[in-house]
Amino acid sequence: MKKILAFAGSNSKTSINKQLAAYAASKVSNTSFDVVDLNDYPLPIFSLELEAVGFPKEAVAFNEVLSNYDGFVLSLAEHNGSYAAVFKNVFDWVSRIDRKVFKDKPVLLMATSPGARGGATVLEAATTTFPHMGAAFVTEFSLPSFFDNFKEGRIVNDAINTELKNAITAFEKEI
């Protein structure tokens, strides 16, 4: 059975992106999944000077975790139109250990937000960047207006749920 890893590009303890990632991972057929929290990998802000001293054990550990899965379900938080600082920092560190952060494996890339754009700007940035970071295949999904469309642990809007199912089907074909 294939294994996938779900996580959010967020350090919020109540991350709506983590909720979405876990929900989507639970819908992927014929797989098992784990959910990790970036808070479990506290890292100093990346710099060349710190890298010269050595890689923090948390960066090495996260890189090793990524190696153990057949694909990834990742939902990015959008802060000021870009990645959340915690996500950018973890991936800055890991990319210095292995440029192919995603290990040439498929990624179901998502974003959500309370607003109507659903993290569209961060998705645009990620879809252009992730293939250079070893994402063998990227399919994307945006959930707008999280608090209107996600209730009681599921997507309640049928049209949006169909969009997610289509993204999951494309992801399933690649893992």
Side-chain angles (χ1 to χ4, degrees), residues 86-166:
V86 67
F87 174 80
K88 177 76 168 80
N89 192 50
V90 167
F91 278 79
D92 283 346
W93 276 109
V94 173
S95 71
R96 300 298 286 195
I97 297 169
D98 182 353
R99 180 78 180 134
K100 293 188 174 198
V101 172
F102 294 107
K103 320 296 185 212
D104 292 324
K105 298 172 186 176
V107 178
L108 172 52
L109 176 62
M110 303 182 299
T112 190
S113 73
R117 290 185 32 84
T121 305
V122 75
L123 277 178
E124 183 179 318
T127 56
T128 59
T129 303
F130 283 17
H132 302 289
M133 296 174 72
F137 175 83
V138 176
T139 187
E140 64 183 274
F141 171 78
S142 172
L143 177 62
S145 305
F146 180 84
F147 296 105
D148 294 333
N149 292 312
F150 194 93
K151 297 179 183 196
E152 298 177 13
R154 64 182 188 85
I155 294 175
V156 296
N157 179 304
D158 290 338
I160 294 172
N161 206 34
T162 298
E163 288 177 35
L164 177 59
K165 286 178 184 177
N166 291 340

